[in-house]
Amino acid sequence: MKLITRNTDYAIRALIYICGRKNKITSVSELVAKTKIPRPFLRKLLQILNKKGILRSSKGQKGGFMLAAEPQEIFLTDLIRIFQGSLKLNECLFKKEPCVKKSICPLNKVIRDIEEDVLKKLKAINVASLAFKFRKLGIN
Amino acid sequence: MKLITRNTDYAIRALIYICGRKNKITSVSELVAKTKIPRPFLRKLLQILNKKGILRSSKGQKGGFMLAAEPQEIFLTDLIRIFQGSLKLNECLFKKEPCVKKSICPLNKVIRDIEEDVLKKLKAINVASLAFKFRKLGIN
DNA sequence: GACAAATGATACTAAAGCAGTATCATATAT
DNA sequence: ATATATGATACTGCTTTAGTATCATTTGTC
Ligand code: FES
Ligand code: FES
């Protein structure tokens, strides 16, 4: 099933760490040291997050990243959308005649209902709440 | 996200059709005509379902497939397991030091909770109930 | 028995997505 | 100037998905 891929997972963990450093710029080197994420891969992810407006970057020596948005406004669904593309349903397969309209197809409906429920739950999870839980356990 | 892949989707639709033919043997030719699923692909899927004990096959002229199990006992989760492998969680990525035990890791937990919920819901869906809904709409 | 019509078993292929690397350009604190 | 950052981009290898292609075997019908 795999709700989240490596991309997303790495991104969340990086964001949680950055969140914990509140307002201080965090470099890739520091993140690599703490999270053991492969450096070039992490760099790519952070650049994407920067472009998407979730991180803000500063170049040059002493450069790095900090959050560009409030951590309670960065949701798991955002990251999934960014790194795993749109969460789209399966296409109908009865291509012609026997195809009911998707909206009433029973199979489509049960899957859609479950996916919508998942979405709702993922939307309830944000970087701030995760960071809080991690800190309570003394990690980060 | 994609809860179910093409394999699974085709398989369900084929099973629904076969279910509607209650006790009569159904050939691939008939299924292809009705569902428009690519013939060689469908053949492969049905052979797998046969091996897994969900269908029973008979060879030779007039051969084909029929259900080997009660349709209310064939669950969506079974098909997903067969065609999409075990529904497994993400591995931890903090490979060494900062890794909490998986069982208490907050990130793992939220994902695991959602996945378990999905599983429970998928387990509630079976071929019989789907076939019934389809028939009510006059399909199949 | 010959033949047609079915499945069984296998092996192969093409495309997409996932995970990660490598390189060079650019900015900036010291 | 230079060391230390990120920006941009292109490339590689692996796995999964979605099929196709072939040949062997079984069986009903004439
Ligand atoms: S039959 Fe077309 S969407 Fe279900
Ligand atoms: S930190 Fe290891 S499982 Fe979450």
Side-chain angles (χ1 to χ4, degrees), chain A residues 1-6 9-10 12-14 16 33-38 76 84-100 104-108 110-111 113-119 121-122 125 130 133-134 137 139-140, chain B residues 1-6 9-10 12-14 16 33-38 76 84-100 104-108 110-111 113-119 121-122 125 130 133-134 137 139-140:
Chain A
M1 201 160 42
K2 214 165 175 192
L3 249 37
I4 63 173
T5 63
R6 216 93 186 218
D9 191 305
Y10 284 160
I12 302 168
R13 292 172 196 272
I16 288 172
K34 297 293 185 179
T35 64
K36 319 291 184 199
I37 298 170
L76 242 182
Q84 301 171 219
S86 66
L87 325 169
K88 60 194 173 298
L89 266 286
N90 286 63
E91 288 288 290
C92 171
L93 306 161
F94 288 125
K95 313 204 173 146
K96 310 184 208 165
E97 335 156 24
C99 176
V100 209
I104 42 166
C105 172
L107 181 49
N108 254 298
V110 294
I111 301 292
D113 284 353
I114 293 175
E115 293 198 340
E116 269 166 19
D117 187 67
V118 171
L119 267 279
K121 286 187 172 142
L122 287 174
I125 302 166
L130 283 173
K133 287 179 187 168
F134 269 89
L137 289 170
I139 331 160
N140 157 21
Chain B
M1 199 162 43
K2 214 169 180 188
L3 251 35
I4 64 173
T5 63
R6 217 90 187 219
D9 190 304
Y10 284 160
I12 302 168
R13 292 171 197 271
I16 289 172
K34 296 293 184 181
T35 65
K36 319 291 184 198
I37 298 170
L76 242 181
Q84 301 172 221
S86 67
L87 325 169
K88 59 193 173 302
L89 265 288
N90 286 64
E91 290 287 291
C92 170
L93 305 161
F94 287 127
K95 314 206 170 141
K96 311 182 208 165
E97 336 155 26
C99 175
V100 211
I104 42 167
C105 174
L107 181 50
N108 254 298
V110 294
I111 301 291
D113 285 352
I114 294 176
E115 294 199 339
E116 270 166 19
D117 187 67
V118 171
L119 265 281
K121 286 186 173 144
L122 287 173
I125 302 167
L130 283 173
K133 287 179 188 169
F134 268 89
L137 287 172
I139 329 162
N140 161 10

Side-chain angles (χ1 to χ4, degrees), chain B residues 8-131:
Chain B
T8 309
D9 190 304
Y10 284 160
I12 302 168
R13 292 171 197 271
L15 287 171
I16 289 172
Y17 184 82
I18 293 171
C19 174
R21 304 235 325 144
K22 212 78 180 171
N23 290 344
K24 272 174 280 180
I25 286 178
T26 308
S27 72
V28 169
S29 294
E30 183 175 347
L31 283 163
V32 166
K34 296 293 184 181
T35 65
K36 319 291 184 198
I37 298 170
R39 167 181 277 268
F41 196 15
L42 179 56
R43 267 177 32 82
K44 188 165 68 173
L45 300 181
L46 297 182
Q47 285 180 13
I48 291 170
L49 290 174
N50 179 41
K51 276 188 195 154
K52 295 290 183 180
I54 288 175
L55 288 177
R56 182 185 316 143
S57 76
S58 44
K59 293 172 83 173
Q61 208 173 20
K62 296 268 174 187
F65 298 85
M66 54 184 294
L67 295 185
E70 289 302 309
Q72 60 271 34
E73 294 298 323
I74 305 170
F75 302 100
L76 242 181
T77 42
D78 300 330
L79 302 174
I80 292 178
R81 239 186 302 270
I82 289 172
F83 293 111
Q84 301 172 221
S86 67
L87 325 169
K88 59 193 173 302
L89 265 288
N90 286 64
E91 290 287 291
C92 170
L93 305 161
F94 287 127
K95 314 206 170 141
K96 311 182 208 165
E97 336 155 26
C99 175
V100 211
K101 273 200 154 20
K102 263 193 208 163
S103 49
I104 42 167
C105 174
L107 181 50
N108 254 298
K109 180 161 172 41
V110 294
I111 301 291
R112 201 169 51 237
D113 285 352
I114 294 176
E115 294 199 339
E116 270 166 19
D117 187 67
V118 171
L119 265 281
K120 206 164 59 184
K121 286 186 173 144
L122 287 173
K123 216 169 229 155
I125 302 167
N126 60 62
V127 170
S129 66
L130 283 173

Side-chain angles (χ1 to χ4, degrees), chain A residues 60-75:
Chain A
Q61 208 172 21
K62 297 267 174 186
F65 298 86
M66 53 185 293
L67 295 184
E70 289 302 309
Q72 59 271 35
E73 295 298 324
I74 306 171
F75 302 100

